[in-house]
Coordinates of all heavy atoms in Angstrom, one line a residue:
M19 N -54.4 -53.2 -14.6 CA -54.8 -52.1 -13.6 C -54.2 -50.8 -14.1 O -54.9 -49.7 -14.1 CB -54.1 -52.5 -12.4 CG -54.3 -51.5 -11.3 SD -56.0 -51.5 -10.8 CE -56.1 -50.3 -9.5
L20 N -53.0 -50.8 -14.6 CA -52.4 -49.5 -15.2 C -53.2 -49.0 -16.3 O -53.3 -47.7 -16.5 CB -50.9 -49.7 -15.4 CG -50.1 -48.5 -15.6 CD1 -50.2 -47.6 -14.3 CD2 -48.6 -48.8 -15.9
K21 N -53.6 -49.8 -17.3 CA -54.3 -49.4 -18.4 C -55.6 -48.8 -17.9 O -56.1 -47.7 -18.5 CB -54.8 -50.6 -19.3 CG -53.5 -51.1 -20.1 CD -54.0 -52.2 -21.1 CE -52.9 -52.5 -22.0 NZ -53.2 -53.6 -23.0
K22 N -56.3 -49.4 -17.0 CA -57.6 -48.7 -16.4 C -57.3 -47.4 -15.9 O -58.1 -46.5 -16.2 CB -58.2 -49.6 -15.5 CG -58.8 -50.9 -16.0 CD -59.5 -51.7 -14.9 CE -60.1 -52.9 -15.5 NZ -60.9 -53.7 -14.4
L23 N -56.3 -47.1 -15.2 CA -55.9 -45.9 -14.6 C -55.7 -44.9 -15.7 O -56.1 -43.7 -15.6 CB -54.6 -46.1 -13.7 CG -54.6 -45.2 -12.4 CD1 -55.8 -45.7 -11.5 CD2 -53.4 -45.4 -11.8
A24 N -54.9 -45.4 -16.7 CA -54.6 -44.4 -17.8 C -56.0 -44.1 -18.5 O -56.2 -42.7 -18.9 CB -53.6 -45.0 -18.8
L25 N -56.9 -45.0 -18.7 CA -58.0 -44.7 -19.4 C -59.0 -43.7 -18.6 O -59.4 -42.7 -19.1 CB -58.9 -45.9 -19.6 CG -60.1 -45.8 -20.4 CD1 -59.9 -45.4 -21.8 CD2 -60.8 -47.2 -20.5
V26 N -59.1 -43.9 -17.3 CA -59.7 -43.1 -16.5 C -59.2 -41.5 -16.5 O -59.9 -40.5 -16.6 CB -59.8 -43.5 -15.0 CG1 -60.3 -42.4 -14.1 CG2 -60.6 -44.7 -15.0
A27 N -57.8 -41.4 -16.6 CA -57.1 -40.2 -16.6 C -57.4 -39.4 -17.9 O -57.7 -38.2 -17.9 CB -55.6 -40.3 -16.4
V28 N -57.4 -40.3 -19.2 CA -57.7 -39.5 -20.3 C -59.1 -39.1 -20.4 O -59.5 -38.0 -20.9 CB -57.4 -40.7 -21.4 CG1 -58.0 -40.1 -22.8 CG2 -56.0 -40.8 -21.5
A29 N -60.1 -40.0 -19.9 CA -61.5 -39.6 -19.9 C -61.6 -38.3 -19.0 O -62.4 -37.5 -19.4 CB -62.3 -40.8 -19.3
A30 N -61.1 -38.2 -17.8 CA -61.3 -37.1 -17.0 C -60.7 -35.8 -17.8 O -61.4 -34.8 -17.5 CB -60.6 -37.3 -15.7
G31 N -59.6 -35.9 -18.4 CA -59.0 -34.8 -19.1 C -59.9 -34.3 -20.3 O -60.1 -33.2 -20.4
A32 N -60.5 -35.3 -21.0 CA -61.4 -35.0 -22.1 C -62.7 -34.3 -21.5 O -63.2 -33.2 -22.1 CB -61.8 -36.3 -22.9
L33 N -63.2 -34.8 -20.4 CA -64.5 -34.1 -19.7 C -64.0 -32.7 -19.3 O -64.9 -31.8 -19.6 CB -64.8 -35.0 -18.6 CG -66.0 -34.5 -17.9 CD1 -67.4 -34.4 -18.9 CD2 -66.4 -35.3 -16.7
A34 N -62.9 -32.6 -18.7 CA -62.5 -31.1 -18.3 C -62.5 -30.2 -19.5 O -62.9 -29.1 -19.4 CB -61.2 -31.3 -17.5
A35 N -61.9 -30.8 -20.6 CA -61.7 -29.9 -21.8 C -63.0 -29.6 -22.4 O -63.3 -28.4 -22.8 CB -61.0 -30.6 -22.8
V36 N -63.9 -30.4 -22.4 CA -65.3 -30.2 -23.0 C -66.1 -29.2 -22.1 O -66.7 -28.4 -22.6 CB -66.1 -31.4 -23.2 CG1 -67.6 -31.1 -23.4 CG2 -65.5 -32.4 -24.3
R37 N -66.0 -29.4 -20.8 CA -66.7 -28.5 -19.9 C -66.0 -27.0 -20.0 O -66.9 -26.1 -20.0 CB -66.6 -29.0 -18.5 CG -67.3 -30.2 -18.2 CD -67.4 -30.6 -16.9 NE -68.2 -29.6 -16.1 CZ -68.4 -29.9 -14.7 NH1 -67.9 -30.8 -14.1 NH2 -69.2 -28.9 -14.1
K38 N -64.7 -26.9 -20.1 CA -64.1 -25.6 -20.3 C -64.5 -24.9 -21.5 O -64.8 -23.8 -21.6 CB -62.6 -25.7 -20.1 CG -61.9 -24.5 -20.2 CD -60.5 -24.6 -19.9 CE -59.7 -23.2 -19.9 NZ -58.3 -23.4 -19.7
R39 N -64.7 -25.7 -22.7 CA -65.0 -25.2 -23.9 C -66.4 -24.7 -23.8 O -66.7 -23.5 -24.3 CB -64.9 -26.2 -25.0 CG -65.3 -25.7 -26.3 CD -65.1 -26.6 -27.4 NE -63.7 -27.1 -27.6 CZ -63.4 -28.3 -28.2 NH1 -64.2 -28.9 -28.7 NH2 -62.0 -28.6 -28.3
S40 N -67.3 -25.5 -23.3 CA -68.7 -25.1 -23.3 C -68.9 -23.9 -22.4 O -69.7 -23.0 -22.6 CB -69.7 -26.2 -22.8 OG -69.4 -26.6 -21.6
A41 N -68.3 -23.8 -21.3 CA -68.3 -22.6 -20.3 C -67.8 -21.4 -21.1 O -68.4 -20.3 -20.9 CB -67.5 -22.8 -19.2
G42 N -66.8 -21.6 -21.9 CA -66.4 -20.4 -22.7 C -67.4 -19.8 -23.7 O -67.5 -18.6 -23.8
R43 N -68.1 -20.8 -24.2 CA -69.2 -20.4 -25.3 C -70.3 -19.7 -24.6 O -70.9 -18.7 -25.0 CB -69.6 -21.6 -25.9 CG -68.8 -22.1 -27.0 CD -69.3 -23.1 -27.7 NE -68.4 -23.7 -28.7 CZ -68.5 -25.0 -29.1 NH1 -69.4 -25.7 -28.8 NH2 -67.5 -25.3 -30.0
T44 N -70.6 -20.1 -23.4 CA -71.7 -19.4 -22.5 C -71.3 -18.1 -22.2 O -72.1 -17.2 -22.3 CB -72.0 -20.4 -21.3 OG1 -72.4 -21.7 -21.8 CG2 -73.0 -19.8 -20.5
E45 N -70.0 -17.9 -21.7 CA -69.6 -16.6 -21.4 C -69.6 -15.6 -22.6 O -70.0 -14.5 -22.5 CB -68.2 -16.6 -20.9 CG -67.7 -15.4 -20.3 CD -66.3 -15.4 -19.7 OE1 -66.0 -16.7 -19.2 OE2 -65.5 -14.5 -19.7
A46 N -69.3 -16.1 -23.8 CA -69.3 -15.3 -25.0 C -70.8 -15.0 -25.4 O -71.0 -13.8 -25.8 CB -68.6 -16.1 -26.1
D47 N -71.6 -15.9 -25.2 CA -73.0 -15.6 -25.5 C -73.6 -14.5 -24.6 O -74.3 -13.5 -25.0 CB -73.9 -16.8 -25.4 CG -73.6 -17.8 -26.5 OD1 -73.0 -17.4 -27.5 OD2 -74.0 -19.1 -26.4
L48 N -73.2 -14.6 -23.2 CA -73.7 -13.7 -22.4 C -73.1 -12.3 -22.6 O -73.7 -11.1 -22.5 CB -73.3 -14.0 -20.9 CG -74.0 -15.1 -20.3 CD1 -73.5 -15.7 -19.0 CD2 -75.6 -14.8 -20.2
W49 N -71.9 -12.2 -23.1 CA -71.2 -11.0 -23.4 C -71.9 -10.3 -24.6 O -72.2 -9.1 -24.7 CB -69.7 -11.2 -23.6 CG -68.9 -9.9 -24.1 CD1 -68.7 -9.6 -25.4 CD2 -68.6 -8.9 -23.5 NE1 -68.1 -8.5 -25.5 CE2 -68.0 -8.0 -24.3 CE3 -68.5 -8.6 -22.1 CZ2 -67.5 -6.7 -23.8 CZ3 -68.0 -7.4 -21.6 CH2 -67.6 -6.5 -22.4
H50 N -72.2 -11.1 -25.6 CA -72.8 -10.6 -26.8 C -74.3 -10.0 -26.4 O -74.7 -9.0 -26.9 CB -73.0 -11.7 -27.8 CG -73.7 -11.3 -28.9 ND1 -73.2 -10.5 -29.9 CD2 -75.0 -11.6 -29.5 CE1 -74.2 -10.4 -30.9 NE2 -75.3 -10.9 -30.6
E51 N -74.9 -10.8 -25.6 CA -76.3 -10.3 -25.3 C -76.2 -9.1 -24.4 O -77.1 -8.1 -24.6 CB -77.0 -11.4 -24.4 CG -78.4 -11.1 -24.0 CD -78.9 -12.3 -23.0 OE1 -78.6 -13.4 -23.3 OE2 -79.8 -12.0 -22.3
A52 N -75.3 -8.9 -23.5 CA -75.2 -7.7 -22.7 C -74.7 -6.5 -23.5 O -75.0 -5.4 -23.0 CB -74.1 -8.0 -21.6
T53 N -74.0 -6.6 -24.6 CA -73.4 -5.6 -25.2 C -74.0 -5.3 -26.6 O -73.5 -4.5 -27.3 CB -72.0 -5.8 -25.6 OG1 -71.7 -7.0 -26.2 CG2 -71.1 -5.9 -24.2
S54 N -75.2 -5.8 -26.9 CA -75.8 -5.7 -28.1 C -77.4 -5.2 -27.9 O -77.9 -5.6 -26.9 CB -75.8 -6.8 -29.1 OG -76.5 -7.8 -28.5
G55 N -77.9 -4.6 -28.8 CA -79.3 -4.2 -28.6 C -79.6 -2.9 -28.0 O -78.5 -2.2 -27.6
P56 N -80.8 -2.5 -28.0 CA -81.1 -1.1 -27.4 C -80.8 -1.0 -25.8 O -80.6 0.0 -25.4 CB -82.7 -0.9 -27.7 CG -83.2 -2.3 -27.9 CD -81.9 -3.1 -28.4
G57 N -81.0 -2.2 -25.3 CA -80.7 -2.0 -23.7 C -79.3 -2.6 -23.2 O -79.1 -3.0 -22.2
A58 N -78.4 -2.3 -24.2 CA -77.1 -2.8 -24.0 C -76.4 -2.1 -22.7 O -76.6 -0.8 -22.6 CB -76.2 -2.5 -25.0
V59 N -75.7 -2.7 -21.9 CA -74.9 -2.3 -20.8 C -73.8 -1.4 -21.3 O -73.6 -0.3 -20.7 CB -74.6 -3.3 -19.9 CG1 -73.7 -2.8 -18.6 CG2 -75.7 -4.1 -19.4
S60 N -73.0 -1.9 -22.1 CA -71.9 -1.2 -22.7 C -71.6 -1.8 -24.0 O -72.1 -2.8 -24.4 CB -70.6 -1.4 -21.7 OG -70.2 -2.8 -21.7
T61 N -70.8 -1.0 -24.7 CA -70.4 -1.4 -26.1 C -68.8 -1.4 -26.2 O -68.1 -0.5 -25.8 CB -70.9 -0.4 -27.1 OG1 -72.2 -0.2 -27.0 CG2 -70.6 -0.9 -28.6
P62 N -68.4 -2.7 -26.7 CA -66.9 -2.7 -26.6 C -66.3 -1.9 -27.9 O -66.9 -1.7 -28.8 CB -66.7 -4.2 -27.0 CG -68.0 -4.7 -27.5 CD -69.1 -3.8 -27.0
T63 N -65.1 -1.3 -27.6 CA -64.5 -0.5 -28.6 C -63.5 -1.3 -29.3 O -62.9 -2.2 -28.7 CB -63.8 0.7 -28.0 OG1 -62.8 0.3 -27.0 CG2 -64.8 1.6 -27.3
R64 N -63.4 -1.1 -30.7 CA -62.5 -1.8 -31.5 C -61.5 -0.9 -32.1 O -61.6 0.2 -32.5 CB -63.3 -2.7 -32.5 CG -64.1 -3.7 -31.9 CD -64.6 -4.5 -32.9 NE -65.7 -5.4 -32.2 CZ -66.0 -6.6 -32.7 NH1 -65.7 -6.9 -33.8 NH2 -66.9 -7.2 -32.1

């Protein structure tokens, strides 16, 4: 029983990490799209 519980906890943690990573990539893609090209909303300063 304890092994199953640990396995479920590890799987849930891995799923959360993957979802967070993919959400970060999506946000970066949106930022790139919004700040590049002729219709850019704003340009980041470096």
